[in-house]
Amino acid sequence: MRTQVGIIGAGPAGLLLAHLLHLAGIDSVVVEARDRGYVEQRVRAGVLEHPTAELLREVGVGARMDAEGLPHHGLVLRFDGADHRMPLTELTGKTITVYGQQEVVKDLIARRLADEGQILFASTDVRPHDLTSDQPRITFTDAAGKPQELRCDVVAGCDGFHGVSRRSIPADRIQAYERLYPFAWLGILAKTPPSHEELIYAYHERGFALHSMRSPELTRLYLQVAPTESLADWPDSRVWDELHARLELAGSEFSLREGPVVDRLLAGMRSFVVEPMRYGRLFLAGDAAHIVPPTGAKGMNLAVADVRLLARALTVFLSGGGSALIDDYSRACLRRVWRAEHFSWWMTSMLHAFPDDDRFGRRLQLSQLRYVVESEAAGRSMAENYVGLPYEF
Protein backbone atom coordinates (compact mmCIF):
# COMPACT_ATOMS: atom_id res chain seq x y z
CA MET A 1 0.00 0.00 0.00
CA ARG A 2 1.05 3.59 -0.59
CA THR A 3 -0.17 6.85 0.98
CA GLN A 4 1.15 10.28 1.83
CA VAL A 5 0.64 10.14 5.61
CA GLY A 6 0.56 6.90 7.59
CA ILE A 7 -1.28 7.50 10.86
CA ILE A 8 -0.80 5.09 13.76
CA GLY A 9 -3.79 5.21 16.11
CA ALA A 10 -7.52 5.86 15.66
CA GLY A 11 -8.13 7.99 18.71
CA PRO A 12 -9.19 11.64 18.53
CA ALA A 13 -5.70 12.75 17.42
CA GLY A 14 -5.30 10.28 14.58
CA LEU A 15 -8.85 10.54 13.30
CA LEU A 16 -8.98 14.33 13.39
CA LEU A 17 -5.60 14.54 11.68
CA ALA A 18 -6.87 12.26 8.90
CA HIS A 19 -9.97 14.43 8.48
CA LEU A 20 -8.02 17.69 8.37
CA LEU A 21 -5.61 16.25 5.81
CA HIS A 22 -8.56 15.00 3.72
CA LEU A 23 -10.03 18.51 3.68
CA ALA A 24 -6.68 19.78 2.40
CA GLY A 25 -6.45 17.13 -0.33
CA ILE A 26 -3.76 15.04 1.40
CA ASP A 27 -4.16 11.24 1.37
CA SER A 28 -3.73 9.23 4.57
CA VAL A 29 -4.33 5.76 6.00
CA VAL A 30 -5.13 5.16 9.68
CA VAL A 31 -3.80 1.95 11.26
CA GLU A 32 -5.45 0.96 14.56
CA ALA A 33 -4.69 -2.00 16.82
CA ARG A 34 -8.22 -2.32 18.29
CA ASP A 35 -11.45 -3.16 16.52
CA ARG A 36 -14.04 -0.51 15.75
CA GLY A 37 -16.38 -1.51 18.55
CA TYR A 38 -13.69 -1.10 21.19
CA VAL A 39 -12.50 2.24 19.82
CA GLU A 40 -16.02 3.68 19.78
CA GLN A 41 -16.89 2.53 23.29
CA ARG A 42 -13.79 3.25 25.39
CA VAL A 43 -14.79 5.96 27.85
CA ARG A 44 -12.24 8.72 28.33
CA ALA A 45 -12.28 12.52 28.67
CA GLY A 46 -15.46 14.52 28.41
CA VAL A 47 -14.71 18.27 28.58
CA LEU A 48 -14.11 20.12 25.32
CA GLU A 49 -12.39 23.49 25.52
CA HIS A 50 -13.94 26.40 23.65
CA PRO A 51 -11.27 26.29 20.88
CA THR A 52 -11.74 22.52 20.49
CA ALA A 53 -15.51 22.80 20.05
CA GLU A 54 -15.07 25.68 17.61
CA LEU A 55 -12.61 23.69 15.51
CA LEU A 56 -14.91 20.66 15.34
CA ARG A 57 -17.69 22.93 14.08
CA GLU A 58 -15.42 24.60 11.53
CA VAL A 59 -14.35 21.29 9.97
CA GLY A 60 -17.86 19.84 9.75
CA VAL A 61 -17.90 17.28 12.57
CA GLY A 62 -19.68 19.28 15.29
CA ALA A 63 -23.36 18.78 14.47
CA ARG A 64 -24.03 15.98 16.96
CA MET A 65 -21.88 17.72 19.56
CA ASP A 66 -24.09 20.80 19.24
CA ALA A 67 -27.24 18.69 19.40
CA GLU A 68 -26.28 16.42 22.30
CA GLY A 69 -23.35 18.11 24.08
CA LEU A 70 -23.87 20.07 27.28
CA PRO A 71 -22.59 23.67 27.20
CA HIS A 72 -21.36 24.87 30.59
CA HIS A 73 -20.94 28.47 31.71
CA GLY A 74 -19.29 27.76 35.06
CA LEU A 75 -17.98 25.20 37.51
CA VAL A 76 -18.05 24.80 41.28
CA LEU A 77 -15.16 24.62 43.71
CA ARG A 78 -16.46 22.95 46.88
CA PHE A 79 -14.39 23.57 50.00
CA ASP A 80 -14.69 25.14 53.47
CA GLY A 81 -18.11 23.51 53.70
CA ALA A 82 -19.54 25.65 50.90
CA ASP A 83 -19.84 26.01 47.12
CA HIS A 84 -17.88 28.68 45.28
CA ARG A 85 -18.99 29.08 41.68
CA MET A 86 -16.44 30.06 39.04
CA PRO A 87 -18.40 31.95 36.32
CA LEU A 88 -16.36 30.86 33.32
CA THR A 89 -18.41 32.66 30.67
CA GLU A 90 -18.72 35.83 32.71
CA LEU A 91 -14.95 35.92 33.17
CA THR A 92 -13.91 34.90 29.65
CA GLY A 93 -16.88 35.21 27.30
CA LYS A 94 -16.48 31.53 26.45
CA THR A 95 -17.94 28.16 27.39
CA ILE A 96 -16.84 24.57 27.73
CA THR A 97 -18.84 21.66 26.29
CA VAL A 98 -19.32 18.33 28.04
CA TYR A 99 -19.25 15.73 25.27
CA GLY A 100 -17.53 12.38 25.70
CA GLN A 101 -14.32 11.56 23.88
CA GLN A 102 -15.90 8.37 22.56
CA GLU A 103 -18.64 10.50 21.01
CA VAL A 104 -16.06 12.65 19.23
CA VAL A 105 -14.42 9.43 18.01
CA LYS A 106 -17.75 8.10 16.70
CA ASP A 107 -18.35 11.33 14.80
CA LEU A 108 -14.88 11.27 13.25
CA ILE A 109 -15.12 7.60 12.27
CA ALA A 110 -18.51 8.14 10.65
CA ARG A 111 -17.19 11.11 8.70
CA ARG A 112 -14.01 9.28 7.70
CA LEU A 113 -15.95 6.32 6.33
CA ALA A 114 -18.46 8.60 4.59
CA ASP A 115 -15.52 10.26 2.85
CA GLU A 116 -14.29 6.78 1.81
CA GLY A 117 -11.15 7.16 3.88
CA GLN A 118 -9.26 4.12 5.16
CA ILE A 119 -9.19 3.03 8.80
CA LEU A 120 -7.53 -0.37 9.18
CA PHE A 121 -8.97 -1.63 12.46
CA ALA A 122 -7.65 -4.69 14.33
CA SER A 123 -4.15 -4.30 12.89
CA THR A 124 -1.63 -6.08 15.10
CA ASP A 125 2.16 -6.01 15.43
CA VAL A 126 2.32 -2.45 14.08
CA ARG A 127 5.88 -1.22 13.51
CA PRO A 128 7.22 1.97 11.87
CA HIS A 129 10.50 1.72 9.93
CA ASP A 130 13.04 3.91 8.11
CA LEU A 131 11.92 7.00 9.96
CA THR A 132 14.96 9.07 9.05
CA SER A 133 14.57 8.37 5.33
CA ASP A 134 12.27 10.17 2.90
CA GLN A 135 10.27 6.95 2.45
CA PRO A 136 9.24 5.64 5.88
CA ARG A 137 6.96 2.63 6.12
CA ILE A 138 4.66 0.89 8.56
CA THR A 139 4.40 -2.87 8.76
CA PHE A 140 1.51 -4.67 10.44
CA THR A 141 -0.70 -7.72 10.32
CA ASP A 142 -4.20 -6.91 9.10
CA ALA A 143 -7.51 -8.10 10.55
CA ALA A 144 -7.42 -11.16 8.29
CA GLY A 145 -4.00 -12.19 9.60
CA LYS A 146 -2.11 -11.13 6.48
CA PRO A 147 1.23 -9.24 6.74
CA GLN A 148 1.04 -5.75 5.22
CA GLU A 149 3.37 -2.87 4.46
CA LEU A 150 2.27 0.74 4.15
CA ARG A 151 4.73 3.05 2.40
CA CYS A 152 4.33 6.76 3.02
CA ASP A 153 6.04 10.14 3.02
CA VAL A 154 5.40 10.85 6.71
CA VAL A 155 4.34 8.85 9.78
CA ALA A 156 2.11 10.43 12.46
CA GLY A 157 2.34 8.70 15.83
CA CYS A 158 -1.08 9.16 17.45
CA ASP A 159 -1.17 5.88 19.37
CA GLY A 160 -1.10 7.07 22.96
CA PHE A 161 1.29 6.82 25.87
CA HIS A 162 1.75 3.04 25.59
CA GLY A 163 1.90 2.97 21.78
CA VAL A 164 4.76 1.93 19.54
CA SER A 165 5.48 5.31 17.96
CA ARG A 166 7.41 7.00 20.75
CA ARG A 167 9.22 3.78 21.57
CA SER A 168 10.51 3.71 17.99
CA ILE A 169 12.66 6.77 18.66
CA PRO A 170 16.22 6.04 19.89
CA ALA A 171 16.61 6.98 23.55
CA ASP A 172 19.47 9.37 22.84
CA ARG A 173 17.33 11.39 20.39
CA ILE A 174 14.55 12.32 22.78
CA GLN A 175 14.28 13.82 26.26
CA ALA A 176 11.51 12.83 28.66
CA TYR A 177 10.21 14.93 31.56
CA GLU A 178 7.98 13.21 34.08
CA ARG A 179 6.30 13.69 37.42
CA LEU A 180 4.37 10.91 39.17
CA TYR A 181 1.68 11.71 41.71
CA PRO A 182 1.14 9.72 44.93
CA PHE A 183 -2.50 8.96 44.20
CA ALA A 184 -4.84 7.62 41.52
CA TRP A 185 -8.35 8.35 40.31
CA LEU A 186 -11.16 5.84 40.65
CA GLY A 187 -13.91 6.70 38.21
CA ILE A 188 -17.44 5.40 37.72
CA LEU A 189 -20.07 6.06 35.08
CA ALA A 190 -23.52 5.82 36.66
CA LYS A 191 -26.86 5.55 34.91
CA THR A 192 -28.48 8.43 36.75
CA PRO A 193 -29.14 12.11 36.01
CA PRO A 194 -26.39 14.44 37.25
CA SER A 195 -26.88 15.73 40.79
CA HIS A 196 -25.86 19.26 39.80
CA GLU A 197 -26.01 21.22 36.56
CA GLU A 198 -22.26 21.96 36.62
CA LEU A 199 -19.00 20.20 37.38
CA ILE A 200 -18.05 20.12 41.07
CA TYR A 201 -14.39 19.99 42.13
CA ALA A 202 -14.42 19.04 45.82
CA TYR A 203 -11.48 19.60 48.15
CA HIS A 204 -11.93 17.35 51.19
CA GLU A 205 -9.74 16.09 54.00
CA ARG A 206 -10.51 12.51 52.90
CA GLY A 207 -9.30 13.28 49.37
CA PHE A 208 -10.43 14.93 46.17
CA ALA A 209 -13.76 14.12 44.47
CA LEU A 210 -15.25 15.25 41.17
CA HIS A 211 -18.86 15.35 40.06
CA SER A 212 -19.18 15.46 36.28
CA MET A 213 -21.55 14.16 33.63
CA ARG A 214 -21.71 12.71 30.14
CA SER A 215 -25.37 13.32 29.28
CA PRO A 216 -28.66 14.21 31.01
CA GLU A 217 -28.93 10.52 31.92
CA LEU A 218 -25.30 9.63 32.74
CA THR A 219 -23.17 10.92 35.61
CA ARG A 220 -19.35 10.64 35.76
CA LEU A 221 -17.82 10.63 39.25
CA TYR A 222 -14.23 10.37 40.46
CA LEU A 223 -12.50 9.72 43.76
CA GLN A 224 -8.88 10.22 44.76
CA VAL A 225 -7.55 6.87 46.01
CA ALA A 226 -4.17 5.38 46.84
CA PRO A 227 -2.17 4.25 43.78
CA THR A 228 -1.74 0.79 45.31
CA GLU A 229 -5.48 0.05 45.40
CA SER A 230 -7.39 -2.01 42.85
CA LEU A 231 -10.96 -1.95 41.58
CA ALA A 232 -11.62 -5.06 43.67
CA ASP A 233 -10.97 -2.96 46.78
CA TRP A 234 -13.86 -0.68 45.82
CA PRO A 235 -17.25 -2.40 45.49
CA ASP A 236 -20.03 -0.08 44.38
CA SER A 237 -21.36 0.37 47.92
CA ARG A 238 -17.99 1.62 49.16
CA VAL A 239 -17.65 3.98 46.19
CA TRP A 240 -21.04 5.56 46.83
CA ASP A 241 -20.38 5.86 50.57
CA GLU A 242 -17.14 7.69 49.91
CA LEU A 243 -18.69 9.95 47.27
CA HIS A 244 -21.41 10.92 49.73
CA ALA A 245 -18.81 11.67 52.40
CA ARG A 246 -16.75 13.92 50.12
CA LEU A 247 -19.49 15.62 48.11
CA GLU A 248 -22.36 16.17 50.55
CA LEU A 249 -22.73 19.61 52.16
CA ALA A 250 -24.38 20.12 55.52
CA GLY A 251 -27.41 22.37 55.20
CA SER A 252 -27.29 22.28 51.41
CA GLU A 253 -30.01 21.26 48.98
CA PHE A 254 -27.42 19.18 47.08
CA SER A 255 -28.16 15.47 47.16
CA LEU A 256 -25.99 12.92 45.37
CA ARG A 257 -28.06 10.70 43.11
CA GLU A 258 -27.09 7.06 42.95
CA GLY A 259 -27.68 4.70 40.05
CA PRO A 260 -26.43 1.51 38.39
CA VAL A 261 -22.69 1.65 37.67
CA VAL A 262 -22.12 0.90 33.98
CA ASP A 263 -18.37 1.54 33.78
CA ARG A 264 -15.45 1.66 36.21
CA LEU A 265 -11.81 2.60 35.85
CA LEU A 266 -8.72 3.12 37.99
CA ALA A 267 -6.00 5.36 36.58
CA GLY A 268 -2.67 6.46 37.96
CA MET A 269 -1.74 10.11 37.58
CA ARG A 270 1.36 11.53 35.95
CA SER A 271 2.66 14.53 34.06
CA PHE A 272 4.83 13.58 31.10
CA VAL A 273 6.35 15.39 28.12
CA VAL A 274 8.89 14.37 25.49
CA GLU A 275 10.98 16.80 23.52
CA PRO A 276 11.17 17.08 20.59
CA MET A 277 7.88 15.74 19.24
CA ARG A 278 9.57 14.74 15.99
CA TYR A 279 12.16 12.21 14.86
CA GLY A 280 12.98 12.29 11.16
CA ARG A 281 9.70 11.76 9.31
CA LEU A 282 7.88 10.63 12.48
CA PHE A 283 5.71 13.25 14.21
CA LEU A 284 4.17 12.56 17.62
CA ALA A 285 0.80 13.97 18.62
CA GLY A 286 -1.48 13.70 21.64
CA ASP A 287 -0.77 11.22 24.42
CA ALA A 288 2.11 9.72 22.47
CA ALA A 289 4.02 12.92 23.27
CA HIS A 290 2.52 14.19 26.52
CA ILE A 291 0.27 13.22 29.42
CA VAL A 292 -1.46 15.55 31.88
CA PRO A 293 -3.26 14.65 35.11
CA PRO A 294 -6.97 14.83 34.33
CA THR A 295 -7.74 17.52 36.92
CA GLY A 296 -7.33 20.27 34.34
CA ALA A 297 -9.35 18.51 31.59
CA LYS A 298 -6.60 19.09 29.01
CA GLY A 299 -5.65 15.69 27.53
CA MET A 300 -7.90 15.42 24.48
CA ASN A 301 -7.80 19.17 23.96
CA LEU A 302 -4.01 19.12 23.67
CA ALA A 303 -4.27 16.30 21.12
CA VAL A 304 -6.64 18.42 19.02
CA ALA A 305 -4.29 21.40 19.23
CA ASP A 306 -1.34 19.22 18.14
CA VAL A 307 -2.99 17.82 15.03
CA ARG A 308 -4.37 21.21 14.04
CA LEU A 309 -0.78 22.41 13.73
CA LEU A 310 0.48 19.14 12.27
CA ALA A 311 -2.17 19.02 9.53
CA ARG A 312 -1.29 22.52 8.36
CA ALA A 313 2.45 21.83 8.46
CA LEU A 314 2.16 18.54 6.55
CA THR A 315 -0.18 20.06 3.96
CA VAL A 316 2.34 22.78 3.16
CA PHE A 317 5.26 20.32 3.12
CA LEU A 318 3.57 17.64 1.01
CA SER A 319 2.26 20.27 -1.42
CA GLY A 320 5.79 21.46 -2.12
CA GLY A 321 5.70 24.51 0.10
CA GLY A 322 8.86 23.78 2.03
CA SER A 323 9.72 22.39 5.46
CA ALA A 324 9.57 25.53 7.64
CA LEU A 325 6.31 24.55 9.36
CA ILE A 326 7.20 20.92 9.99
CA ASP A 327 10.58 22.06 11.33
CA ASP A 328 8.73 24.36 13.76
CA TYR A 329 6.04 21.82 14.70
CA SER A 330 7.58 20.62 17.95
CA ARG A 331 8.43 24.08 19.27
CA ALA A 332 5.00 25.45 18.42
CA CYS A 333 3.17 22.54 20.09
CA LEU A 334 5.32 22.54 23.20
CA ARG A 335 4.46 26.16 24.06
CA ARG A 336 0.83 25.13 24.56
CA VAL A 337 1.75 21.74 26.05
CA TRP A 338 3.83 23.22 28.87
CA ARG A 339 1.17 25.83 29.67
CA ALA A 340 -1.39 23.02 29.98
CA GLU A 341 1.05 20.92 32.00
CA HIS A 342 1.49 23.75 34.47
CA PHE A 343 -2.24 24.40 34.78
CA SER A 344 -3.00 20.69 35.27
CA TRP A 345 -0.24 20.38 37.89
CA TRP A 346 -1.54 23.50 39.65
CA MET A 347 -5.13 22.23 39.77
CA THR A 348 -3.94 18.83 40.97
CA SER A 349 -1.69 20.27 43.67
CA MET A 350 -4.39 22.63 44.93
CA LEU A 351 -7.21 20.08 45.19
CA HIS A 352 -5.73 16.73 46.26
CA ALA A 353 -4.77 15.43 49.66
CA PHE A 354 -1.09 14.50 49.61
CA PRO A 355 -0.09 11.52 51.76
CA ASP A 356 2.83 13.36 53.38
CA ASP A 357 1.04 16.67 53.72
CA ASP A 358 1.04 18.23 57.16
CA ARG A 359 -1.39 20.81 58.45
CA PHE A 360 0.81 23.56 57.02
CA GLY A 361 0.44 22.16 53.49
CA ARG A 362 -3.32 21.94 53.81
CA ARG A 363 -3.51 25.53 54.97
CA LEU A 364 -1.58 26.58 51.88
CA GLN A 365 -4.07 24.74 49.64
CA LEU A 366 -7.03 26.39 51.34
CA SER A 367 -5.35 29.78 51.07
CA GLN A 368 -4.91 29.26 47.31
CA LEU A 369 -8.52 28.13 46.87
CA ARG A 370 -9.82 31.14 48.77
CA TYR A 371 -7.68 33.49 46.69
CA VAL A 372 -8.95 31.98 43.43
CA VAL A 373 -12.59 32.52 44.35
CA GLU A 374 -12.14 35.90 46.07
CA SER A 375 -9.83 37.62 43.57
CA GLU A 376 -11.28 38.50 40.18
CA ALA A 377 -7.80 38.48 38.64
CA ALA A 378 -6.99 35.01 40.03
CA GLY A 379 -10.40 33.71 39.03
CA ARG A 380 -10.02 35.04 35.50
CA SER A 381 -6.61 33.39 35.20
CA MET A 382 -8.06 30.03 36.21
CA ALA A 383 -11.10 30.49 33.96
CA GLU A 384 -9.16 31.41 30.81
CA ASN A 385 -6.88 28.41 31.24
CA TYR A 386 -9.84 26.10 31.91
CA VAL A 387 -11.92 27.15 28.90
CA GLY A 388 -8.83 26.99 26.67
CA LEU A 389 -6.38 29.63 25.55
CA PRO A 390 -6.71 30.86 21.95
CA TYR A 391 -4.62 29.10 19.31
CA GLU A 392 -1.48 31.12 18.67
CA PHE A 393 -0.76 30.03 15.13
Side-chain angles (χ1 to χ4, degrees):
M1 291 184 286
R2 181 74 174 86
T3 192
Q4 290 176 283
V5 182
I7 301 173
I8 303 176
L15 291 167
L16 182 58
L17 176 60
H19 180 57
L20 294 174
L21 291 172
H22 170 74
L23 294 178
I26 303 297
D27 186 55
S28 67
V29 173
V30 181
V31 181
E32 166 59 44
R34 303 285 191 166
D35 63 37
R36 181 179 177 180
Y38 179 90
V39 171
E40 290 188 334
Q41 295 303 319
R42 55 186 170 192
V43 178
R44 294 291 186 270
V47 174
L48 304 185
E49 292 179 347
H50 182 83
T52 298
E54 287 288 281
L55 179 62
L56 295 177
R57 293 185 185 103
E58 289 171 10
V59 300
V61 289
R64 197 163 69 92
M65 173 192 70
D66 284 333
E68 301 178 15
L70 306 175
H72 282 231
H73 300 279
L75 60 82
V76 173
L77 296 176
R78 182 168 286 181
F79 65 95
D80 275 349
D83 279 347
H84 309 267
R85 185 174 185 270
M86 301 299 297
L88 300 176
T89 304
E90 180 181 322
L91 291 169
T92 68
K94 300 173 183 177
T95 63
I96 58 169
T97 301
V98 174
Y99 189 63
Q101 175 176 309
Q102 74 274 18
E103 303 306 323
V104 175
V105 166
K106 289 176 187 175
D107 296 341
L108 289 167
I109 289 175
R111 181 59 183 267
R112 176 72 172 170
L113 298 180
D115 291 337
E116 299 184 350
Q118 286 187 285
I119 309 174
L120 306 179
F121 291 108
S123 298
T124 58
D125 195 27
V126 180
R127 294 286 185 273
H129 307 272
D130 304 330
L131 297 172
T132 57
S133 75
D134 59 1
Q135 293 187 359
R137 56 196 176 90
I138 302 169
T139 60
F140 59 96
T141 302
D142 67 20
K146 182 179 178 180
Q148 299 284 359
E149 181 176 274
L150 175 64
R151 294 186 174 274
C152 43
D153 299 308
V154 169
V155 175
C158 305
D159 50 344
F161 182 78
H162 298 288
V164 68
S165 297
R166 190 182 67 253
R167 290 186 280 118
S168 300
I169 302 175
D172 62 349
R173 300 299 300 275
I174 200 166
Q175 179 69 49
Y177 301 86
E178 185 172 29
R179 173 162 293 179
L180 301 177
Y181 297 89
F183 36 75
W185 270 20
L186 187 155
I188 63 168
L189 187 67
K191 192 172 183 180
T192 183
S195 306
H196 194 276
E197 65 272 14
E198 294 182 331
L199 280 74
I200 301 172
Y201 287 76
Y203 173 88
H204 196 277
E205 62 182 10
R206 299 171 68 97
F208 171 75
L210 173 63
H211 167 278
S212 183
M213 63 284 293
R214 288 296 177 268
S215 75
E217 295 80 34
L218 290 171
T219 300
R220 191 66 157 158
L221 298 150
Y222 294 97
L223 288 171
Q224 173 190 346
V225 300
T228 54
E229 300 201 55
S230 68
L231 288 176
D233 298 323
W234 287 87
D236 291 354
S237 59
R238 184 187 178 193
V239 172
W240 286 114
D241 286 347
E242 195 63 25
L243 285 167
H244 279 286
R246 299 187 197 183
L247 287 171
E248 296 286 2
L249 282 178
S252 168
E253 294 182 358
F254 175 87
S255 179
L256 182 64
R257 294 170 173 165
E258 297 189 17
V261 175
V262 296
D263 183 72
R264 309 167 96 244
L265 65 84
L266 186 64
M269 297 182 68
R270 59 159 44 92
S271 299
F272 178 85
V273 181
V274 292
E275 296 184 4
M277 292 168 57
R278 176 190 180 183
Y279 173 67
R281 291 287 183 94
L282 169 66
F283 295 83
L284 302 178
D287 288 358
H290 41 73
I291 295 287
V292 290
T295 326
K298 294 298 169 210
M300 179 172 60
N301 294 293
L302 277 182
V304 169
D306 286 350
V307 299
R308 175 183 171 273
L309 285 176
L310 184 55
R312 187 175 67 165
L314 292 180
T315 298
V316 171
F317 175 66
L318 295 172
S319 301
S323 65
L325 288 182
I326 62 169
D327 292 340
D328 194 50
Y329 166 71
S330 184
R331 183 204 65 81
C333 284
L334 287 168
R335 279 180 58 87
R336 191 179 190 91
V337 167
W338 279 112
R339 175 87 293 276
E341 290 284 354
H342 180 272
F343 178 70
S344 299
W345 163 83
W346 177 78
M347 287 279 287
T348 301
S349 301
M350 180 173 65
L351 288 163
H352 288 73
F354 284 77
D356 59 349
D357 239 8
D358 56 9
R359 292 185 301 166
F360 185 85
R362 291 186 180 274
R363 290 298 186 191
L364 290 178
Q365 290 176 312
L366 286 168
S367 175
Q368 181 65 57
L369 283 163
R370 290 165 186 154
Y371 179 59
V372 166
V373 301
E374 293 169 1
S375 164
E376 183 177 341
R380 179 170 286 109
S381 176
M382 176 185 168
E384 69 177 9
N385 278 273
Y386 196 88
V387 302
L389 297 172
Y391 294 132
E392 293 186 9
F393 308 104

